[in-house]
């Protein structure tokens, strides 16, 4: 039996199955927020006790930027850059290839959003990556916008996989910071006016009965963005939400 021929056939079939399982595509993503206060939207968007597990997700951007504004640092809110370069892209961690900003094809869409008062682009980048089957794919950890002491304005998972067609499964948390008024009632003071047989007679000092003190407190409200979409390569797709949007195009690599 020709073992060399057998090994060659095995290696060839393994390479073929690997290439069929993993195909490379260009992904261009434009993430933007709507300049809308969450509390003014008619539908109830607020969520509580919802967390998104990104522990097994592939990092798209370098996680060190999560520490730009620690809670006790007293710094202004850090902002993820709109356009990403090698300094922010986690190429060593994800194995993807970042495209240069002059290779972006959704620039006109970004410019239109920037000119419109109702929108604010937060993140625009393109990269090359292998896209696997649903059973093998891992989500990408996607975040952008302001950093609220370690929590990003938009943060969660963005998964791309193949199942005859291309699919995108996105699950993101949207965060907005707002100010609420908290009243602190004043405690009245008392004075002793008489004491007899170890019994004290006291009265409240009416001068301290003032309106309760009102303090401003900053809170972070959260809403959930969860959408799944089937798409064809080359098509431009728009994911809509009352607070944000995503424009994405996945292109075949010749």
């Amino acid at each position: 039996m020709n073992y060399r021929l057998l090994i060659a056939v095995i290696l060839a079939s393994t390479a073929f199955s690997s290439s069929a399982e993993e195909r490379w595509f260009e992904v261009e993503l434009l993430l933007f927020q709507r300049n809308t206060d969450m509390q003014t939207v008619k539908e109830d968007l607020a969520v509580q006790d919802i967390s998104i597990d990104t522990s097994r997700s592939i990092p798209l951007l370098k996680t060190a930027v999560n520490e730009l504004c620690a809670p006790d640092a007293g710094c202004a809110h850090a902002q993820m850059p709109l356009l990403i370069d090698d300094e922010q892209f986690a190429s060593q961690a994800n194995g993807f290839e970042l495209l240069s900003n002059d290779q972006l094809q959704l620039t006109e869409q970004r410019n239109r959003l920037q000119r419109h008062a109702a929108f604010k682009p937060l993140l625009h980048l393109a990269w090359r990556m292998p896209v696997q089957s649903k059973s093998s794919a891992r989500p990408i950890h996607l975040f952008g916008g302001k950093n609220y002491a370690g929590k990003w304005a938009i943060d969660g998972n963005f998964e791309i996989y193949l199942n005859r067609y291309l699919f995108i499964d996105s699950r993101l948390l949207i965060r907005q910071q707002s100010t609420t008024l908290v009243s602190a009632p004043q405690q009245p003071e008392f004075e002793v006016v008489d004491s007899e047989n170890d019994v004290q007679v006291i009265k409240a000092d009416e001068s301290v009965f003032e309106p309760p003190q009102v303090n401003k407190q900053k809170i972070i409200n959260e809403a959930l963005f969860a959408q799944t979409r089937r798409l064809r390569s080359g098509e431009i797709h728009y994911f809509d939400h009352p607070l944000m949007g995503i424009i994405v195009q996945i292109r075949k690599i010749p």
Side-chain angles (χ1 to χ4, degrees):
M1 185 175 183
N2 192 335
Y3 289 101
R4 290 184 178 180
L5 179 60
L6 177 62
I7 292 174
V9 171
I10 292 174
L11 291 175
S13 62
T14 303
F16 176 79
S17 60
S18 175
S19 62
E21 177 76 8
E22 185 180 274
R23 295 169 55 191
W24 281 70
F25 290 85
E26 284 184 0
V27 180
E28 184 167 350
L29 180 142
L30 175 57
L31 175 70
F32 63 93
Q33 70 180 24
R34 293 177 178 270
N35 297 326
T36 304
D37 189 338
M38 187 186 304
Q39 298 176 331
T40 64
V41 179
K42 291 184 178 180
E43 58 181 302
D44 187 12
L45 299 174
V47 295
Q48 294 180 348
D49 301 326
I50 290 184
S51 62
I52 297 176
D53 184 11
T54 60
S55 60
R56 63 175 296 271
S57 303
I58 300 172
L60 185 65
L61 306 173
K62 293 180 179 178
T63 54
V65 293
N66 280 306
E67 302 170 358
L68 285 175
C69 189
D72 57 350
C75 58
H77 292 314
Q79 177 88 30
M80 175 60 62
L82 171 60
L83 297 177
I84 300 300
D85 57 25
D86 292 332
E87 291 296 321
Q88 296 94 25
F89 193 70
S91 57
Q92 291 186 346
N94 56 39
F96 303 163
E97 178 187 345
L98 178 69
L99 274 66
S100 62
N101 292 324
D102 58 7
Q103 294 177 284
L104 297 174
Q105 299 184 21
L106 301 177
T107 304
E108 180 57 33
Q109 289 85 341
R110 186 188 75 227
N111 292 337
R112 290 178 183 177
L113 291 170
Q114 286 180 312
R115 291 193 296 263
H116 202 293
F119 307 103
K120 181 182 179 180
L122 298 181
L123 188 68
H124 188 191
L125 74 162
W127 68 96
R128 290 178 174 176
M129 64 173 289
V131 178
Q132 300 176 326
S133 64
K134 171 65 173 175
S135 59
S136 303
R138 288 171 56 197
I140 293 170
H141 183 197
L142 178 67
F143 55 90
K146 287 185 178 180
N147 180 291
Y148 298 115
K151 294 184 176 181
W152 292 95
I154 296 177
D155 191 352
N157 287 326
F158 188 81
E159 185 173 3
I160 304 172
Y161 61 90
L162 278 168
N163 188 9
R164 293 190 62 186
Y165 295 93
L166 285 163
F167 283 84
I168 291 177
D169 188 354
S170 53
R171 187 173 175 84
L172 306 167
L173 278 177
I174 308 167
R175 297 185 176 100
Q176 285 187 358
Q177 183 173 272
S178 62
T179 302
T180 185
L181 301 179
V182 179
S183 61
Q186 297 287 332
Q187 296 294 329
E189 296 182 1
F190 298 92
E191 64 173 329
V192 178
V193 296
D194 195 6
S195 179
E196 184 177 352
N197 298 328
D198 294 330
V199 177
Q200 293 180 336
V201 179
I202 61 176
K203 74 172 184 177
D205 185 357
E206 296 181 357
S207 64
V208 300
F209 282 101
E210 300 175 353
Q213 183 179 356
V214 177
N215 298 321
K216 292 183 179 180
Q217 181 179 353
K218 292 182 178 180
I219 61 173
I220 295 179
N221 302 305
E222 293 184 335
L224 180 64
F225 176 99
Q227 294 187 28
T228 301
R229 181 77 56 85
R230 188 187 80 175
L231 63 160
R232 295 178 183 273
S233 60
E235 295 177 342
I236 297 176
H237 282 258
Y238 170 47
F239 295 75
D240 190 24
H241 187 275
L243 300 176
M244 63 165 284
I246 299 175
I247 301 175
V248 64
Q249 184 184 39
I250 301 180
R251 303 183 285 263
K252 288 183 179 179
I253 297 177

